[in-house]
């Protein structure tokens, strides 16, 4: 499931932040902030996407780089949330 | 070029040289025609701008035997040059760009004011040096082909403006602020004649009496304003709703009681509108106030004209409302207006100064959950930022924190965020640029003494040396005002005030997170509390939202075929960007920057490089 989430997030980012420029997409473990991929508005766009796409809700305390600053972190965070919701 | 000088024109030619001039008549209305010559015909000058201390200089020169034939400030330049040669520049208090032909020495002197208020461009074509206040004058040169300089485009998409002497036009250059050029048979050579300087940080702040400094500041501001009211036409004042223009307008109102007319600009979006504060100030001053509303559609409709006037791509629409404001000024029959421009650079008013301070403060305790909340205090007018969590604020503003000795530390975040718009550069353009880094290029232009300055002074220098002349005074200032035949005057940029403020301890400018501390102390008691105590709101205008209010303009200018033909931007990515911004109520900084930057670049190409350039040359 993590791979599916990872692919979906990458596709969203390539379309929404890179406008199709897949070659500029950071590696899955790379920091999205350090790479300059997302500005402050981008984080809010990402949160809205995750909530819509994966039917989860993010509290303010969830919106931290530890959860969202790489594709791998996002995928792990979303999967954990989805499992909790299913349990 | 006639927009810069609708009141008259003149031409003067001789062997190997020629000067032409269009005049906006402000001082010496009846006898100030240009180009102006000395009685013996040996010196000739074509001059744009004002010498504000011409009264004092004329008295001095007369006392030494000079005979004046006019009432114009222009003649002062001729007499002073005769006495001092190019060293005369150091005696001029003014905003000027001029060309002076010295027949005895067979040389042309080009000179520009200290802060870069008035523009001066030059190019060499088939062995001839041409110079002008605007690049569009060169379009009349037979065989001159305008082309975009890709490095300048990279600089604009990183620094907001090209690094002088580079301009957006390949092989066209600007004389740098505070510089002169001499052209004679030996060739041409340029040098700086004035530089912004700050004390060494190692010296420690001098002991100063704050009250005494506030008194000095008031006296300087009064004198700077008094000089800038000198004109043989009526002088007005702009009111933005902020502290700086309130100060200049209030001083002007005191000096010309009952006669001052003020002008302001409102927006139909509350996020940008400052009308309420403008009205408070106008009422307090008792001026005859003129206000105009700028809608998104106004910005979009005027944008092609804005680019024709700026002569360079821009990444913000903010010049467009200024064009509307200056149009209002001109409609009211006013040719000269005072504004508060320069106060934010001179007295550390911009948010970027505070931002750098908070970033450095946060860096001392990287794990702190409370310190990052200070970023919210810095930007109360940015709703998106208010929604950010502390973790993201800390990460988002943490750029460059690991390198406190980085000379660009204060500006790293802005540079990185702006450069995000380069994502839309085409592969071809990227290949042309190779590994070029505009930020590092800017760093390479810093003077050796820069490293010795206090961090606040370094940040002030970056703003004053690059953004101020390249964008604020140019795209948003001179070019919009002169596009309407209006001259802006800026008391805060009086060089005596600039030098005085540069020598102040940083804490008198930015105290804690209170910007312009000494200015508030000196001037606030004279202003309504609502304006004096107001949290600074920088002048901004709607960007992509405004331009997308003209879908036909966007569709035609950003047509995929046109983008592919010009080869600068990726048509597919630009198409997706426009669609995203059209669907998004509040696009982010990067997307706004990209829409404005790409659109203005394509308009620039349409205006200056297509076969039919008649429109670009037109008045």
């Amino acid at each position: 499931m993590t791979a599916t989430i990872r692919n979906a997030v990458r596709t969203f980012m390539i379309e929404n932040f890179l406008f199709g420029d897949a070659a500029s997409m950071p590696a899955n473990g790379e920091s999205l902030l350090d790479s300059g991929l997302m500005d402050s508005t981008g984080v809010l766009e990402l949160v809205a996407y995750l909530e819509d796409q994966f039917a989860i809700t993010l509290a303010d305390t969830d919106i931290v780089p530890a959860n969202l600053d790489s594709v791998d972190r996002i995928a792990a965070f979303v999967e954990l949330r989805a499992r909790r919701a299913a349990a | 070029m006639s927009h810069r000088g609708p009141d008259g024109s003149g031409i003067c030619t001789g062997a190997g040289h020629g000067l032409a001039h269009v005049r906006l008549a402000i001082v010496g209305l009846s006898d100030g025609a240009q180009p102006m010559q000395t009685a013996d015909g040996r010196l000739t000058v074509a001059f744009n701008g004002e010498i504000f201390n011409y009264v004092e200089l004329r008295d001095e020169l007369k006392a030494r035997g000079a005979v004046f034939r006019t009432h114009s400030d222009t003649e002062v330049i001729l007499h002073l040059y005769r006495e001092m040669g190019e060293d005369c520049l150091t005696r001029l208090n003014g905003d000027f760009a001029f060309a002076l032909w010295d027949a005895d020495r067979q040389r042309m002197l080009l000179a520009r004011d200290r802060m870069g208020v008035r523009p001066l461009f030059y190019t060499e074509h088939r062995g001839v040096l041409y110079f002008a206040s605007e690049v569009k004058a060169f379009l009349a040169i037979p065989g001159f082909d305008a082309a975009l300089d890709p490095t300048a485009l990279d600089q604009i998409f990183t620094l907001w403006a090209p690094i002088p002497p580079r301009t957006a036009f390949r092989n066209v250059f600007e004389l740098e602020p505070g510089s002169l050029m001499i052209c004679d048979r030996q060739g041409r050579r340029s040098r700086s004649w004035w530089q912004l300087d700050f004390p060494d940080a190692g010296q420690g702040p001098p002991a100063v009496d704050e009250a005494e400094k506030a008194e000095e500041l008031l006296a300087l501001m009064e004198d700077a304003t008094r000089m800038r009211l000198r004109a043989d036409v009526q002088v007005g004042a702009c009111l933005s709703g902020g502290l700086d223009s309130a100060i200049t307008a209030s001083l002007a109102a005191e000096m010309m009681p009952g006669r001052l007319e003020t002008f302001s600009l409102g927006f139909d979006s509350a996020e940008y509108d400052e009308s309420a504060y403008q009205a408070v100030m106008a009422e307090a001053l008792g001026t005859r106030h003129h206000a105009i509303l700028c809608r998104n559609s106004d910005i979009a409709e005027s944008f092609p004209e804005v680019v024709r006037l700026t002569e360079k791509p821009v990444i913000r629409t903010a010049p467009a409302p200024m064009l509307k404001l200056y149009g209002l000024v001109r409609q009211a029959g006013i040719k000269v207006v005072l504004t508060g421009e320069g106060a934010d650079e001179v007295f550390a008013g911009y948010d970027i100064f505070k931002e750098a301070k908070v970033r450095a403060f946060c860096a001392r305790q990287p794990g702190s959950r409370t310190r990052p909340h200070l970023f919210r205090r810095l930007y109360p007018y940015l709703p998106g930022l208010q929604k950010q969590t502390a973790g993201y604020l800390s990460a988002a503003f943490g750029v460059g924190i690991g390198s406190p000795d980085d000379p660009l530390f204060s500006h790293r975040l802005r540079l990185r965020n702006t450069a995000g718009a380069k994502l839309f550069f085409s592969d071809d353009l990227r290949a042309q640029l190779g590994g070029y880094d505009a930020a590092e290029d800017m760093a390479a232009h810093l003077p050796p003494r820069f490293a010795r300055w206090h961090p606040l002074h370094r940040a002030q220098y970056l703003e004053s040396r690059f953004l101020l002349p390249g964008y604020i005074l140019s795209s948003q200032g001179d070019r919009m005002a002169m596009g309407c035949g209006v001259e802006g005057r800026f008391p805060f940029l009086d060089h005596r005030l600039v030098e005085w403020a540069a020598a102040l301890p940083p804490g008198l400018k930015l105290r804690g997170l209170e910007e312009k501390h000494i200015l508030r102390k000196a001037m606030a008691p004279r202003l309504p509390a609502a304006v004096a105590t107001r949290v600074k709101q920088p002048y901004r205008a709607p960007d992509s939202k405004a331009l997308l209010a003209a879908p036909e303009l966007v569709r035609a200018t950003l047509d995929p075929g046109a983008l592919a033909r010009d080869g600068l931007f990726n048509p597919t990515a630009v198409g997706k960007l426009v669609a995203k911004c059209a669907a998004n109520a509040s696009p982010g900084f990067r997307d706004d920057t990209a829409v404005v930057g790409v659109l203005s670049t394509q308009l620039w190409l349409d205006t200056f490089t297509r076969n039919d350039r008649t429109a670009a040359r037109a008045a």
Side-chain angles (χ1 to χ4, degrees):
Chain A
M1 182 176 174
T2 306
T4 309
I5 297 169
R6 199 182 282 131
N7 287 339
V9 169
R10 282 186 71 85
T11 301
F12 165 76
M13 289 184 169
I14 289 168
E15 281 304 302
N16 200 61
F17 299 141
L18 293 170
F19 304 92
D21 180 9
S24 297
M25 183 66 199
N28 288 341
E30 206 175 326
S31 163
L32 299 171
L33 282 162
D34 290 349
S35 68
L37 183 73
M38 285 196 294
D39 60 13
S40 56
T41 311
V43 177
L44 302 178
E45 290 175 26
L46 172 66
V47 169
Y49 164 77
L50 295 177
E51 291 186 335
D52 289 348
Q53 184 70 20
F54 301 105
I56 58 175
T57 304
L58 278 76
D60 277 1
T61 49
D62 296 325
I63 306 171
V64 292
N67 292 334
L68 303 177
D69 194 31
S70 72
V71 173
D72 282 344
R73 287 182 186 188
I74 294 167
F77 172 76
V78 169
E79 185 171 4
L80 184 68
R81 274 307 166 84
R83 274 191 196 153
R84 272 192 207 159
Chain B
M1 288 290 288
S2 60
H3 55 272
R4 295 189 74 88
D7 300 330
S9 64
I11 189 163
C12 181
T13 58
H17 75 280
L19 291 171
H21 186 266
V22 289
R23 184 173 187 223
L24 180 67
I26 291 170
V27 175
L29 299 182
S30 62
D31 57 11
Q34 296 188 48
M36 185 178 284
Q37 285 191 322
T38 48
D40 60 9
R42 304 308 291 166
L43 301 176
T44 311
V45 70
F47 160 49
N48 172 213
E50 302 293 337
I51 307 301
F52 299 119
N53 63 337
Y54 77 101
V55 176
E56 291 79 5
L57 291 173
R58 190 171 56 194
D59 289 347
E60 276 182 37
L61 289 158
K62 277 183 176 175
R64 293 198 288 268
V67 177
F68 279 78
R69 300 189 296 166
T70 76
H71 298 88
S72 164
D73 55 334
T74 309
E75 196 177 358
V76 166
I77 298 173
L78 291 169
H79 287 289
L80 206 58
Y81 174 84
R82 172 152 283 167
E83 281 194 0
M84 304 177 67
E86 61 264 31
D87 289 345
C88 73
L89 296 168
T90 60
R91 296 296 320 280
L92 303 179
N93 183 339
D95 302 335
F96 55 85
F98 67 76
L100 189 151
W101 173 250
D102 182 336
D104 292 332
R105 301 172 77 175
Q106 288 290 294
R107 68 178 202 173
M108 189 72 78
L109 167 68
L110 305 182
R112 194 168 175 210
D113 64 67
R114 296 169 179 83
M115 302 302 287
V117 176
R118 298 290 159 231
L120 185 47
F121 298 95
Y122 61 92
T123 188
E124 203 169 310
H125 184 70
R126 294 175 185 160
V128 177
L129 176 71
Y130 296 87
F131 47 85
S133 293
E134 295 190 11
V135 180
K136 55 179 68 69
F138 303 149
L139 300 180
I141 301 171
F144 177 87
D145 274 323
L148 185 71
D149 180 335
T151 302
L153 189 66
D154 192 287
Q155 292 173 349
I156 291 168
F157 272 65
T158 307
L159 315 171
W160 295 44
I163 300 172
R166 191 184 292 274
T167 72
F169 293 80
R170 189 179 285 161
N171 295 326
V172 175
F173 306 94
E174 70 169 302
L175 192 63
E176 296 183 45
S179 291
L180 62 85
M181 177 192 287
I182 291 169
C183 183
D184 57 19
R185 286 202 177 90
Q186 279 72 53
R188 58 181 162 89
R189 50 207 176 273
S190 304
R191 71 171 170 86
S192 163
W193 64 270
W194 184 88
Q195 291 175 327
L196 179 60
D197 203 358
F198 295 92
D200 285 3
Q203 291 172 351
V208 292
D209 181 323
E210 195 172 300
E212 203 174 282
K213 286 290 171 193
E215 277 182 31
E216 286 176 26
L217 172 53
L218 178 59
L220 272 169
M221 271 306 293
E222 284 178 337
D223 201 51
T225 306
R226 179 182 60 78
M227 278 193 183
R228 281 159 183 76
L229 291 176
R230 287 174 172 168
D232 294 330
V233 296
Q234 188 170 351
V235 178
C238 290
L239 285 175
S240 70
L243 179 71
D244 312 329
S245 62
I247 290 169
T248 51
S250 68
L251 290 171
E254 282 176 24
M255 293 172 193
M256 43 189 294
R259 292 186 293 126
L260 186 67
E261 296 195 31
T262 49
F263 300 86
S264 63
L265 178 72
F267 290 94
D268 55 2
S269 163
E271 189 180 342
Y272 306 98
D273 187 59
E274 300 181 68
S275 299
Y277 296 98
Q278 294 159 358
V280 166
M281 201 58 220
E283 191 180 340
L285 296 177
T287 60
R288 184 176 171 213
H289 189 60
H290 309 255
I292 196 164
L293 183 70
C294 185
R295 298 179 176 84
N296 283 350
S297 56
D298 296 324
I299 293 173
E301 283 162 18
S302 67
F303 206 60
E305 173 66 359
V306 166
V307 173
R308 191 184 75 83
L309 290 167
T310 61
E311 298 185 320
K312 60 185 142 191
V314 288
I315 57 161
R316 287 285 170 267
T317 63
M322 298 305 291
L323 185 66
K324 195 170 175 73
L325 175 65
Y326 288 121
L328 175 72
V329 172
R330 187 69 196 200
Q331 277 170 24
I334 303 283
K335 289 186 192 177
V336 181
V337 280
L338 303 187
T339 84
E341 219 63 85
D344 286 320
E345 289 81 1
V346 172
F347 291 104
Y350 285 128
D351 292 327
I352 199 165
F353 302 127
K354 290 186 269 189
E355 181 189 284
K357 197 169 185 176
V358 174
R359 283 169 56 219
F361 178 66
C362 290
R364 283 187 229 144
Q365 273 199 32
S368 169
R369 290 186 170 191
T370 52
R371 292 186 184 207
H373 290 291
L374 286 168
F375 291 116
R376 288 207 192 98
R377 272 186 58 193
L378 295 186
Y379 300 102
Y381 49 85
L382 295 181
L385 196 127
Q386 294 301 313
K387 296 175 191 165
Q388 298 285 320
T389 61
Y392 257 98
L393 285 170
S394 182
F397 283 92
V399 182
I401 265 177
S403 49
D405 293 333
D406 174 4
L408 305 183
F409 173 81
S410 58
H411 283 61
R412 281 289 177 202
L413 192 60
R414 181 203 282 172
L415 299 178
R416 195 192 73 168
N417 288 344
T418 305
K422 292 198 291 186
L423 172 72
F424 298 91
F425 281 7
S426 68
D427 290 343
D428 280 354
L429 179 57
R430 289 182 203 201
Q432 276 186 68
L433 291 165
Y436 177 74
D437 185 328
E440 294 317 306
D441 198 356
M442 179 166 79
H445 279 75
L446 300 175
R449 60 191 189 283
F450 182 90
R452 301 197 299 267
W453 295 337
H454 183 278
L456 177 66
H457 289 160
R458 294 183 202 172
Q460 282 186 273
Y461 183 88
L462 293 175
E463 285 293 277
S464 304
R465 177 72 179 78
F466 296 99
L467 193 71
L468 178 68
Y471 175 76
I472 303 284
L473 293 176
S474 171
S475 298
Q476 213 171 274
D478 172 88
R479 314 316 285 279
M480 296 303 108
M482 292 302 262
C484 301
V486 172
E487 178 180 279
R489 293 183 177 182
F490 318 113
F492 286 107
L493 292 178
D494 185 304
H495 73 278
R496 297 168 302 170
L497 194 72
V498 171
E499 291 168 358
W500 179 87
L504 288 176
L508 281 191
K509 289 175 270 194
L510 184 57
R511 171 156 299 183
L513 291 183
E514 182 204 25
E515 77 278 5
K516 296 184 280 201
H517 171 74
I518 191 69
L519 187 63
R520 288 179 189 281
K521 185 169 180 69
M523 308 303 294
R526 307 159 72 94
L527 304 175
V531 173
T533 60
R534 189 179 167 213
V535 174
K536 178 176 174 57
Q537 175 167 334
Y539 166 65
R540 297 181 303 137
D543 286 304
S544 62
K545 277 291 159 201
L547 296 177
L548 292 168
E552 270 312 308
L553 172 75
V554 174
R555 200 173 300 128
T557 311
L558 301 184
D559 170 71
L563 290 168
R565 174 198 61 204
D566 294 325
L568 296 174
F569 302 106
N570 178 328
T572 308
V574 170
K576 289 180 179 179
L577 169 71
V578 171
K580 180 185 175 187
C581 289
N584 192 336
S586 51
F589 178 92
R590 194 271 312 268
D591 294 350
D592 262 343
T593 301
V595 169
V596 182
V598 174
L599 190 79
S600 64
T601 304
Q602 290 299 123
L603 286 170
W604 188 97
L605 293 171
D606 290 344
T607 305
F608 295 107
T609 68
R610 308 296 180 220
N611 288 333
D612 179 10
R613 298 177 307 185
T614 312
R617 286 197 297 268

